[in-house]
Amino acid sequence: MDSSTGNQEKISMSGDWIRVAAPATTSNIGPGFDTFGLAMNEPCDVIEGRIIESGLEISEVSGPGSENIPKNPNINSVTIAAEQVLKRCGAEFGIELKIKKGIRPCSGMGSSGASAAGGAFLANILCGEKLSPIELILCAAHAEDVISGGLHADNVSPCILGGFTVIRSYEPFDVIRIEPPANLGMVVALPDVMVATSDARKVLPREVSVKDLVFHVGNASSMVYGMMAGDLKAIGRSVKDAVFEPARVKLVPFIKEAEKEAMSNGALASFMGGSGPCIMSFYDADTDLGCTIAEKVKAVYTEKNIHCDTWVTRPGVGCKRI
Ligand code: HSE
């Protein structure tokens, strides 16, 4: 990547700034490792960009965890994804970017996925929206592969498409979007613990038993039914994971206590979001249980002197221009 454009030249060639919001997402959701994803309404990363003569340049990174986010465009998911879009569009210009993180890295809330999807989405607007949503997902998934140590598109798919997404196949890539029930309430609790996806992938088993496979297929199938039928109870009882969360539990202190507390206070399901450490809980948003669940899960960590942020949110529409 060429980031060496001179300042004087950039000023004369630069276009208007545009701005996009890229939301947090939760992935795996029990049985759907690397296949299920769900967009949240908030929090979001906000990415601004404008056309410059050439190269990709990050002029500003701010927000939670931004001190650890590289401005080097070769190792930043926003610019890696944006570069893929420019290449596919045959663009003969570069982009200057400002990144305002709303989702801190190593959270399990699709932080790098939001940056990648937002970078691809923004670059596509600057290119005259030449690429399809699926092409944007592939550009963003490439960035995820480079940054997080494994090709997975379960965060970037809902971040681009919104709603609940199922990756039926990676090769060839085939993703299905399903409109989740509007009353699927989501509580996110993020303790002050860092888990890098690349590390969390290293602790996974290489093989699974037929028994676990059968268990996952059954729960994954009923999850899809629950999302399509708007059956919150079916969704809740389908959040089951015999393989991945058990292997990662040791990376997230007190997660089992936190999940138990959520369930005792009316959650339909409580589970490790993505590769952790966030704890996701589903609840019926037609009730007012969301704030109570958030307080009770937070209290598990506060009692242990661990700071914990919470959000009470709902399914969202994915990346949008703001
Ligand atoms: N499916 C991925 C994993 C998501 O669990 O490793 C990472 O956010």
Side-chain angles (χ1 to χ4, degrees), residues 254-265 270 297 300:
F254 312 113
I255 187 170
K256 286 295 151 199
E257 289 91 325
E259 290 174 356
K260 196 171 158 205
E261 200 61 18
M263 295 305 287
S264 313
N265 284 280
S270 190
V297 174
V300 170

Side-chain angles (χ1 to χ4, degrees), residues 190-274:
L190 179 61
D192 215 352
V193 174
M194 303 289 271
V195 177
T197 299
S198 49
D199 293 336
R201 291 179 85 85
K202 285 181 194 146
V203 303
L204 297 177
R206 296 287 126 214
E207 291 175 358
V208 298
S209 67
V210 170
K211 184 177 169 217
D212 288 342
L213 176 66
V214 170
F215 184 74
H216 274 239
V217 169
N219 282 289
S221 306
S222 64
M223 172 71 74
V224 171
Y225 161 77
M227 290 286 179
M228 294 186 74
D231 186 335
L232 295 187
K233 287 189 176 152
I235 292 172
R237 66 175 184 273
S238 306
V239 182
K240 296 282 186 326
D241 178 356
V243 178
F244 304 95
E245 181 168 330
R248 290 169 161 174
V249 138
K250 57 191 173 212
L251 303 176
V252 185
F254 312 113
I255 187 170
K256 286 295 151 199
E257 289 91 325
E259 290 174 356
K260 196 171 158 205
E261 200 61 18
M263 295 305 287
S264 313
N265 284 280
L268 297 161
S270 190
F271 54 101
M272 183 185 292

Side-chain angles (χ1 to χ4, degrees), residues 27-28 33-34 152 154-155 197 201 248 274-275:
S27 56
N28 301 340
F33 179 76
D34 278 2
H152 63 98
D154 49 345
N155 292 107
T197 299
R201 291 179 85 85
R248 290 169 161 174
S275 53

Side-chain angles (χ1 to χ4, degrees), residues 27-243:
S27 56
N28 301 340
I29 316 175
F33 179 76
D34 278 2
T35 57
F36 286 168
L38 180 61
M40 301 181 209
N41 204 28
E42 56 162 355
C44 293
D45 284 357
V46 173
I47 302 169
E48 290 183 72
R50 65 174 175 174
I51 289 176
I52 55 174
E53 183 159 306
S54 64
L56 282 143
E57 183 173 316
I58 300 169
S59 52
E60 205 176 297
V61 186
S62 60
S66 55
E67 60 282 3
N68 297 320
I69 295 176
K71 276 190 178 174
N72 177 344
N74 296 314
I75 50 173
N76 182 295
S77 54
V78 176
T79 33
I80 295 171
E83 189 195 33
Q84 291 292 308
V85 173
L86 294 184
K87 269 191 190 155
R88 280 182 185 240
C89 291
E92 292 180 347
F93 56 80
I95 305 178
E96 178 185 353
L97 293 139
K98 293 181 188 172
I99 303 162
K100 189 174 179 191
K101 291 298 291 178
I103 314 156
R104 75 133 163 99
C106 301
S107 60
M109 296 165 65
S111 175
S112 62
S115 289
F121 190 79
L122 183 140
N124 193 40
I125 294 173
L126 293 175
C127 288
E129 305 200 80
K130 286 190 183 138
L131 300 191
S132 68
I134 298 299
E135 287 174 295
L136 294 186
I137 290 171
L138 294 175
C139 292
H142 170 77
E144 283 280 71
D145 193 14
V146 174
I147 298 297
S148 64
L151 180 68
H152 63 98
D154 49 345
N155 292 107
V156 296
S157 294
C159 199
I160 294 285
L161 298 175
F164 176 70
T165 51
V166 180
I167 299 169
R168 185 199 63 79
S169 156
Y170 275 85
E171 284 183 36
F173 189 73
D174 184 8
V175 61
I176 297 161
R177 182 195 187 279
I178 294 165
E179 185 63 34
N183 61 344
L184 177 61
M186 301 156 85
V187 176
V188 194
L190 179 61
D192 215 352
V193 174
M194 303 289 271
V195 177
T197 299
S198 49
D199 293 336
R201 291 179 85 85
K202 285 181 194 146
V203 303
L204 297 177
R206 296 287 126 214
E207 291 175 358
V208 298
S209 67
V210 170
K211 184 177 169 217
D212 288 342
L213 176 66
V214 170
F215 184 74
H216 274 239
V217 169
N219 282 289
S221 306
S222 64
M223 172 71 74
V224 171
Y225 161 77
M227 290 286 179
M228 294 186 74
D231 186 335
L232 295 187
K233 287 189 176 152
I235 292 172
R237 66 175 184 273
S238 306
V239 182
K240 296 282 186 326
D241 178 356
V243 178

